[in-house]
Amino acid sequence: MPTTPLNSLKGVILDAASLGEGVDFDPLEQQLADFVRWDSTGPGQTLTRIQGAHVVFTNKVVIDAAMMRAADNLKLICVLATGTNNVDIAAAEALGIEVRNVNAYGTASVAQHTLTLMLALATRLVPYQRSVQQGEWQRASMFCLMHHPVMQLSGKTLVLVGHGELGQEVERLALAFGMHVKVAARPGKTDDTRPSLDTLLPEADVVSLHCPLTPDTQHLINQDNLALCKPTALLVNCARGGIIHEQDALNALRQGLIGGLAVDVLTQEPPRDGNVLLDALHEGLNLIVTPHSAWLAPEARQRIIELSAKNVADWKNP
Ligand SMILES: NC(=O)C1=CN([C@@H]2O[C@H](COP(=O)(O)OP(=O)(O)OC[C@H]3O[C@@H](n4cnc5c(N)ncnc54)[C@H](O)[C@@H]3O)[C@@H](O)[C@H]2O)C=CC1
Ligand SMILES: O=C(O)C(=O)CO
């Protein structure tokens, strides 16, 4: 709850351009007496820009403990996303700064992307497209190519990590494809009675990740449990890059320990310093990388603004 008079609250958005074209920011502006909009903010600029603001809006700009301590008036951080891993939540709590994110703004968009990746891996869409582009169909001895193994999803087992908003919607869509769905116990939660991920991996045909990136989920998928997978298993990550140990997953794919890997998220975004998965895209593997685009439907992006405006309104009038 703000101690500053409601009619003098100052807000700043640090990376407005990350919401894309066609988004109406009015609902946010209306919540604040003063609203400064920056399209993007580099790490060295954050502190200066949040100085004096009571409410800071960030999609992916990092706000760490030192910045929070140095920011004079900061009372509320609104993350314009579901994942809050760019904000030091523990530091905010210790300093009495509230952090609110948005949930369920893009369920349809992210779930459809997850199914897209799952289907593309299962049908070997990318390897077959590559074969066609390389003229293999034209040179074939019969009417079709069949050198990449296609997996029928119906009747197969999907293992989900994370069964919140997105995990449940992916489950609903997977059930429509005739899959059996199993949910793994929450990582790091000792009283969760559901089977552990490692118990479920040997029976998984597809694994899809829908949990936040936290110390408990960092490198949740690694060489140890990749070794438990079926050689045909498909792994999909639309959650956060750091949940998968990327080098281990790539090694597993190269060695045939898993049958496919599709990620919408990488450990570093944008991957300015390169990334092992990007380097491997030309190797002819059943590997797909999309550029954190699962959430991009216009309906989802506008909903972020509306839900964030509600976050501010609820904070002002608890
Ligand atoms: N690729 C993209 O465009 C998008 C990615 N995301 C990612 O998907 C994740 C899941 O989103 P939602 O399903 O909407 O979130 P949610 O909060 O509704 O569900 C998260 C689920 O993960 C579980 N979980 C597992 N380990 C956890 C831990 N250590 N701490 C807290 N919860 C844990 C929770 O119990 C819950 O079932 C987000 O955290 C975000 O990282 C979200 C939106 C778009
Ligand atoms: O909402 C999220 O967590 C996303 O990754 C999209 O910004």
Side-chain angles (χ1 to χ4, degrees), residues 254-276:
R254 282 180 176 147
Q255 291 161 16
L257 296 177
I258 57 172
L261 172 66
V263 302
D264 183 50
V265 282
L266 291 175
T267 300
Q268 192 206 2
E269 297 177 347
R272 289 206 202 290
D273 304 325
N275 180 283
V276 286

Side-chain angles (χ1 to χ4, degrees), residues 97-292:
I97 298 169
E98 271 201 54
V99 180
R100 297 196 180 189
N101 68 340
V102 286
N103 190 247
Y105 69 85
T107 309
S109 185
V110 181
Q112 92 177 8
H113 195 86
T114 305
L115 263 290
T116 300
L117 295 182
M118 223 181 266
L119 290 163
L121 288 181
T123 56
R124 290 332 200 242
L125 189 73
V126 170
Y128 274 124
Q129 179 69 27
R130 199 181 295 121
S131 294
V132 171
Q133 279 168 342
Q134 291 170 352
E136 288 176 40
W137 198 13
Q138 295 88 319
R139 295 191 296 273
S141 56
M142 57 174 184
F143 76 97
C144 69
L145 296 179
M146 54 165 69
H147 57 302
H148 302 299
V150 166
M151 177 194 285
Q152 173 185 295
L153 291 185
S154 181
K156 299 299 190 300
T157 298
L158 167 65
V159 168
L160 294 171
V161 182
H163 199 232
E165 181 66 22
L166 295 171
Q168 288 177 42
E169 181 61 6
V170 167
E171 173 179 35
R172 195 181 69 79
L173 297 177
L175 289 173
F177 273 88
M179 298 189 82
H180 309 293
V181 179
K182 300 198 172 179
V183 180
R186 179 170 151 165
K189 205 160 186 284
T190 45
D191 58 350
D192 194 327
T193 53
R194 293 172 295 188
S196 70
L197 176 62
D198 287 6
T199 314
L200 291 176
L201 280 179
E203 54 180 302
D205 295 296
V206 183
V207 179
S208 193
L209 306 177
H210 301 285
C211 57
L213 173 63
T214 69
D216 285 332
T217 62
Q218 169 101 24
H219 293 166
L220 182 69
I221 304 289
N222 54 58
Q223 62 176 354
D224 296 334
N225 54 22
L226 284 160
L228 303 172
C229 290
K230 291 183 188 180
T232 49
L234 308 176
L235 175 59
V236 178
N237 185 11
C238 286
R240 282 292 181 270
I243 301 172
I244 290 183
H245 190 295
E246 289 161 341
Q247 185 64 60
D248 287 359
L250 179 60
N251 293 345
L253 189 62
R254 282 180 176 147
Q255 291 161 16
L257 296 177
I258 57 172
L261 172 66
V263 302
D264 183 50
V265 282
L266 291 175
T267 300
Q268 192 206 2
E269 297 177 347
R272 289 206 202 290
D273 304 325
N275 180 283
V276 286
L277 298 181
L278 296 181
D279 294 343
L281 282 174
H282 307 290
E283 291 179 22
L285 300 163
N286 194 21
L287 171 66
I288 302 173
V289 180
T290 53
H292 205 140

Side-chain angles (χ1 to χ4, degrees), residues 18 59-60 79-85 102 105 110 166 238-240 264-265 269 292 294-296 304:
S18 73
N59 184 350
K60 295 289 176 284
V79 181
L80 302 166
T82 305
T84 54
N85 49 292
V102 286
Y105 69 85
V110 181
L166 295 171
C238 286
R240 282 292 181 270
D264 183 50
V265 282
E269 297 177 347
H292 205 140
W295 66 294
L296 279 189
I304 289 176

